[in-house]
Amino acid sequence: MSTSEKTHIFITGVTGYIGGSVLSALLSHPRAKSFQITVLTRSPEKVVPLNSLGVVAVVGSNQDLEKLTEYARNSDVVFACADSDDLQAAKAILLGLKKRYDETSKVPILIHTSGTGVLTDNAAGDYATDKVYSDLDIPLIETLPKTQPHREVDIEVVAADDKGYVRTYIVLPSTIYGIANTSLVKLGIQNPYSKQIPNLIKASIDRKQGGVVGKGLNLWPNVHISDIASLYISIFDAAIRGPGEAGHGREGFYFGENGEHRVGRISEVIAELLFEVKLGKSPEPTVFTKDELQKYFRGARSLGSNSRARADRSKLIGWKPVHSVDSLWASLKPEIEAIAESQKFRP
């Protein structure tokens, strides 16, 4: 790609926690002036503030398959940062990228968002697994059945690369933490909050007691929101440099993690902090009942599962995360304060 040409970029999910952080990182990229960025938003009222950042904002969502195809068709690079499990949206984007290849003979780039939820088991909090996945160990990743979360879409994305009309890179964030503090948050465009930990906090506040799944022995990796944004940029930079710079397709899996935690420890710290501010009855978490798991987490198994990952490939291409697991523990109090304030919970 010559330096004189604009790089046409299309991003979905820009009002979300991840997508907004990726857009913000692109806007502050050293080569930002050479980017022509188009974004999709479901909110008409966010078009003007997005335009003010120098991007072209289009009203639409993952359900607008023709729009996904059209804007992918006009792009050198697509960042898919919306729903990781939307197979039809992924197919629509890939169709557009195939049309781009057919019309220009240039191979476009797809940076797709998945997640380490693809690695989860059915531990229900009762044990820690010894099985650890490296993003360099492709044969082990390929043992994951299609029934795993995100896996069906990941397989579709890899198959497209195999056909030669697109280079695909899959980002698999783990437990993302931290309140995003980007230019998009300041403009009211972006959701600044993660889902996993805030959902656990909200459930604990609602039941007036910190909660834990089973024995809380299961393990998950974690990553700060600013570090996950920088991983997308590291992959983007490598992909733009050329096909040999970073694994793609079958080898294009990039875990986003820089530490590991016992999930029950998060429950314990939340219980302690809620007790301190009189929003919890006891500093010890109690076990979520089956009904509560259904009520608060729609029965999702992820909170009690193991997901053990090592970001070896991500770090090989030059990703340098700066936040360790200590930052995760430090993030819990601000998260609780923000949620308590937004929902006006009082003891």
Side-chain angles (χ1 to χ4, degrees):
M1 212 168 284
S2 81
T3 51
S4 61
E5 288 177 20
K6 288 273 189 184
T7 303
H8 290 264
I9 300 170
F10 176 50
I11 314 176
T12 64
V14 289
T15 60
Y17 183 57
I18 296 175
S21 298
V22 171
L23 175 56
S24 180
L26 284 169
L27 290 171
S28 59
H29 192 284
R31 295 198 305 279
K33 285 190 172 66
S34 71
F35 302 157
Q36 175 66 55
I37 302 175
T38 302
V39 304
L40 203 61
T41 175
R42 283 177 297 197
S43 310
E45 70 277 7
K46 292 184 177 178
V47 169
V48 170
L50 279 164
N51 288 346
S52 75
L53 294 170
V55 305
V56 177
V58 180
V59 177
S61 74
N62 260 17
Q63 280 65 57
D64 294 310
L65 301 181
E66 288 180 2
K67 283 186 182 176
L68 292 177
T69 297
E70 177 191 346
Y71 291 106
R73 179 184 187 171
N74 293 320
S75 302
D76 302 301
V77 183
V78 174
F79 288 85
C81 299
D83 184 350
S84 309
D85 298 304
D86 192 332
L87 183 59
Q88 295 313 310
K91 284 181 172 179
I93 288 169
L94 290 168
L95 176 62
L97 293 170
K98 185 173 188 307
K99 288 182 176 182
R100 176 138 187 109
Y101 174 73
D102 290 343
E103 290 162 9
T104 67
S105 300
K106 293 178 182 174
V107 180
I109 292 162
L110 171 62
I111 301 174
H112 173 78
T113 305
S114 177
T116 67
V118 73
L119 311 177
T120 51
D121 59 16
N122 289 309
D126 290 339
Y127 60 86
T129 186
D130 293 329
K131 185 177 257 190
V132 181
Y133 293 80
S134 164
D135 50 10
L136 287 172
D137 190 347
I138 298 307
L140 186 59
I141 291 172
E142 289 181 341
T143 65
L144 293 164
K146 195 182 261 195
T147 49
Q148 286 291 97
H150 320 319
R151 185 68 183 146
E152 188 178 18
V153 180
D154 291 358
I155 290 169
E156 189 80 17
V157 169
V158 170
D161 182 291
D162 195 44
K163 288 170 185 162
Y165 66 81
V166 60
R167 275 193 278 132
T168 65
Y169 304 80
I170 299 178
V171 187
L172 299 94
S174 52
T175 295
I176 314 177
Y177 64 88
I179 299 172
N181 183 29
T182 67
S183 54
L184 280 82
V185 171
K186 294 181 182 78
L187 287 169
I189 296 167
Q190 178 190 353
N191 161 40
Y193 302 108
S194 186
K195 288 182 179 171
Q196 283 170 305
I197 292 172
N199 285 351
L200 182 56
I201 293 169
K202 288 171 187 173
S204 297
I205 289 174
D206 188 67
R207 72 200 288 269
K208 300 179 172 58
Q209 177 62 58
V212 64
V213 178
K215 297 174 185 173
L217 297 175
N218 52 307
L219 301 170
W220 262 74
N222 53 72
V223 66
H224 191 277
I225 182 60
S226 63
D227 285 332
I228 202 67
S230 77
L231 175 56
Y232 281 84
I233 300 304
S234 294
I235 294 167
F236 169 78
D237 286 343
I240 288 290
R241 284 196 301 270
E245 293 293 317
H248 57 89
R250 180 174 179 254
E251 296 185 345
F253 285 81
Y254 295 85
F255 290 152
E257 66 80 29
N258 196 40
E260 187 175 71
H261 60 275
R262 180 172 62 81
V263 178
R265 182 62 192 143
I266 292 183
S267 293
E268 290 158 14
V269 174
I270 289 171
E272 290 162 14
L273 292 170
L274 290 180
F275 181 72
E276 281 175 21
V277 295
K278 298 185 170 57
L279 289 173
K281 295 171 189 167
S282 156
E284 300 285 330
T286 58
V287 178
F288 285 114
T289 65
K290 197 172 181 181
D291 286 348
E292 284 179 321
L293 288 173
Q294 188 58 45
K295 174 182 176 182
Y296 296 122
F297 310 106
R298 290 180 289 186
R301 69 179 189 178
S302 60
L303 196 59
S305 69
N306 289 285
S307 170
R308 304 193 67 189
R310 298 291 180 268
D312 300 318
R313 186 184 302 274
S314 295
K315 289 169 183 174
L316 267 180
I317 65 161
W319 179 50
K320 293 182 173 63
V322 296
H323 297 270
S324 69
V325 72
D326 291 342
S327 300
L328 167 65
W329 305 123
S331 76
L332 296 178
K333 192 171 184 180
E335 291 277 11
I336 286 173
E337 288 169 349
I339 290 165
E341 177 60 30
S342 69
Q343 302 195 356
K344 293 290 183 283
F345 284 109
R346 293 290 177 263

